Amino acid sequence: MRFTTGGTTRAVGVGVLVLSLALTGCGGKKDKKKHKRGSSSSHSRTIGGTSGGSAGKAKGAGSLGGARQAEAILPPADTMPAALRTVATELHSRAKAPSVCKDPGGTCKGAVANGQVGYRSDDDAESAGYDLVVYRNERSAERAFTAWKSYVENNHRELEVLDAPPQGDASISYGYTRPAKKTSQSIVIREGRYIATLDLRDNSGQAYARKDLQVLSEVYATRMRQAAQDETPSATAADVRV
């Protein structure tokens, strides 16, 4: 499989994809970890292509303000799988502490910008909701992620931690205990001074929801890493089958 980012094509092994979710305007990290991907079956998918323009330090998302960075990184419709291009939540970003981070408690402290976008299938059988919170510094983001992790790990009545490939500096994936939400799964990722959330619902079942969450979070993470390197986010899931 080949994964194209910012005009550079890299061969990616079947089981390995280099991922790092970094959104800081200060540039990416020197060392990036490789994370293994789960194997796919008939519910197969490929990742490739570009969207969002050419890379370059003069035009990269990392040089933009917090709200503009969020807007650039959140995936536009043409980077989504063909089955998930009906807009459920219009792309929106704002340069102020977002109310969306009030639950779990403590995650709003130090937040300076927020963006959201959501997509669904035509028959409403599957949906993907993206949220991105920008913090004033990495320490604020670390505190916010600690609050998220504690919330997920201790909310046994509603949530259950899932075993999933790590993303970014830190991440946690979780599902829901209520029967009505058994086909929904989520991941929260911290990279630098950013916290990203991806919520995936797939009525085909938990296994499909987990696979789709994994591949879409990989693309999401790559777009953020590109922004951290002051490149225009271009990673796309347009050729992914969900």
Side-chain angles (χ1 to χ4, degrees):
M1 180 174 67
R2 290 186 177 274
F3 189 81
T4 306
T5 58
T8 301
T9 301
R10 296 176 291 160
V12 180
V14 173
V16 179
L17 180 62
V18 178
L19 293 174
S20 180
L21 197 165
L23 302 183
T24 72
C26 301
K29 293 180 179 290
K30 293 182 180 179
D31 297 317
K32 296 296 177 183
K33 297 181 180 178
K34 292 185 178 181
H35 302 305
K36 293 183 179 180
R37 296 186 55 198
S39 60
S40 59
S41 60
S42 58
H43 202 63
S44 63
R45 39 185 59 78
T46 58
I47 305 173
T50 60
S51 178
S54 60
K57 290 197 173 183
K59 300 179 181 180
S63 62
L64 304 175
R68 294 288 302 280
Q69 285 187 41
E71 184 176 351
I73 292 161
L74 292 166
D78 63 358
T79 67
M80 293 295 293
L84 284 173
R85 292 191 180 178
T86 299
V87 176
T89 303
E90 293 284 350
L91 179 63
H92 174 69
S93 61
R94 54 184 177 177
K96 61 180 180 179
S99 60
V100 70
C101 68
K102 289 182 178 178
D103 187 14
T107 58
C108 272
K109 187 174 182 179
V112 297
N114 177 233
Q116 304 95 28
V117 69
Y119 301 98
R120 63 175 177 82
S121 58
D122 287 337
D123 60 2
D124 202 28
E126 186 169 5
S127 63
Y130 296 81
D131 184 85
L132 189 65
V133 180
V134 184
Y135 291 85
R136 67 168 58 98
N137 52 44
E138 187 169 339
R139 186 175 180 182
S140 295
E142 289 175 346
R143 285 196 297 260
F145 182 79
T146 297
W148 259 113
K149 189 170 184 290
S150 177
Y151 171 75
V152 172
E153 292 178 338
N154 293 291
N155 191 359
H156 304 297
R157 291 186 178 181
E158 298 180 6
L159 308 177
E160 57 182 355
V161 179
L162 300 177
D163 183 18
Q167 305 281 5
D169 287 336
S171 65
I172 188 166
S173 297
Y174 59 95
Y176 299 85
T177 59
R178 287 183 293 166
K181 298 198 70 176
K182 277 292 187 180
T183 57
S184 296
Q185 297 180 10
S186 302
I187 185 170
V188 179
I189 312 168
R190 183 189 74 81
E191 183 68 35
R193 64 188 186 101
Y194 301 86
I195 297 288
T197 306
L198 173 57
D199 301 312
L200 194 285
R201 175 180 57 82
D202 189 342
N203 290 341
S204 299
Q206 290 184 356
Y208 290 125
R210 182 171 298 194
K211 290 177 182 178
D212 293 347
L213 179 67
Q214 180 178 331
V215 72
L216 292 179
S217 65
E218 288 173 353
V219 175
Y220 193 14
T222 304
R223 291 181 66 86
M224 290 187 268
R225 177 179 56 80
Q226 290 173 317
Q229 296 175 346
D230 217 6
E231 301 173 1
T232 300
S234 62
T236 175
D239 296 328
V240 170
R241 189 173 68 196
V242 298

